[in-house]
Every structure is written in structure tokens, then in C-alpha cells.
Amino acid sequence: MREDGAYGPTRAMKQEHTYTTTITWTGNKGAGTIAYDAYARDYEIACDGKSTIRGSADPLYLGNAARHNPEEMLVAALSACHMLWYLHLCAANGVVVEAYDAATEGLMLTRPDGCGEFSKVTLRPSVTISAKSDAHEALRLHVNANKMCYIARSVNFPVHHVPEITSG
């Protein structure tokens, strides 16, 4: 909590934020990329001071199914960003969240030439609120969370929400 009793950055704080990661390809089987099937799609994502994320391509593209692929991580980033904004908005508006989980699905379309893009992502948050909290307000705050989510604001496809609110 800040000195003024609020949470998060103050308006006077720097409004520009830089995020850095390092991606290291770890899939050289000895011959590099001499042929399409001669190398693994494995890589590692490093962020200073954090655990390494082991990634690969989707298995459809010869990736390792035991590792996270970029498409899954994009869908997860959208879901996590929405959840964090939602929890913040609930705390700020008197809605007590007791549990939150979200099944999230992204639909990616691939063209005959191999190019592709996501056409939509749908979040299905299941939220349990305290018995004294307003379920209508809890539902409404999902709309606000979508407007606030940095990741959702940065993609060029719709992010839909199908929330379910239950009282504890």
C-alpha cells in the first residue's frame, strides 16, 4: 500500500514501462537447421530473477508437447491479466472474491500458406464471491476488467468473457 492509502502506481510515477526477456533456442540436435525435421523447436524464456520457462512449438509443428507453446502462453497471458484487473476492481468496489479460476480458449486460424492468426479468445471465469457481495456488481466488473487489461487492449482480435458468479 502507498503512503496515500491507495494501491499501485501514483499518477506522478513514470507512465512508460519496459519488460525484457531472453529467448534461447536449445533445440540444436547437432546439425542446426539443415532440414525441417533435423532440429527441435525447444527454447527457454528467461526473465531476471525468475524461474525459466521451457517452451517449444505446438506439436503440430514438431514441437515438444511437454513444453508450453507461444499460443498457449498468449491465451494464458490474456486470462491472467483479466483476472488481476478483475481482482483489483472487486477489491476497490467492495466485492469480496473468495475463489477464481478461468477456463480460457483461443481460436487460431491457419491459412493454406502456413500464416495464421488468432480470431478470438474466450475467457470463462468461475468466480465465488462472499454472501454479502453484490453479484450484479461482480458480473459488471468483468466488463471493466476487459477495458483495463493491458494485454487485451494490445491484441487485434476480440476477447470475450462468459463469467459465472456464485455466492459462497
Side-chain angles (χ1 to χ4, degrees), residues 117-156:
E117 62 273 333
F118 277 87
S119 62
K120 69 178 178 177
V121 167
T122 304
L123 285 72
R124 290 182 174 80
S126 178
V127 182
T128 302
I129 58 173
S130 70
K132 294 182 180 181
S133 293
D134 182 346
H136 293 291
E137 179 71 355
L139 193 59
R140 185 187 71 78
L141 290 173
H142 279 287
V143 174
N144 292 12
N146 188 52
K147 290 177 184 174
M148 299 300 294
C149 173
Y150 307 137
I151 309 298
R153 293 173 57 90
S154 300
V155 298
N156 65 352

Side-chain angles (χ1 to χ4, degrees), residues 26-41:
T26 59
N28 187 342
K29 294 180 179 179
T33 58
I34 194 165
Y36 183 74
D37 60 355
Y39 63 96
R41 277 60 178 170

Side-chain angles (χ1 to χ4, degrees), residues 56-114:
S56 190
D58 184 295
L60 181 65
Y61 301 103
L62 303 183
N64 182 341
R67 293 178 170 225
H68 300 290
N69 65 55
E71 297 82 6
E72 291 168 328
M73 288 188 280
L74 175 63
V75 171
L78 282 161
S79 188
C81 185
H82 178 86
M83 178 194 68
L84 293 169
W85 270 108
Y86 181 76
L87 295 174
H88 166 79
L89 292 169
C90 285
N93 288 279
V95 174
V96 178
V97 176
E98 296 177 344
Y100 183 109
D101 63 68
T104 304
E105 178 180 272
L107 178 63
M108 189 176 81
L109 304 175
T110 306
R111 299 174 190 200
D113 66 359

Side-chain angles (χ1 to χ4, degrees), residues 2 8-19 85 150:
R2 297 189 324 237
T10 63
R11 296 219 185 269
M13 291 179 78
K14 184 177 179 184
Q15 296 299 310
E16 187 175 287
H17 309 278
T18 302
Y19 299 91
W85 270 108
Y150 307 137

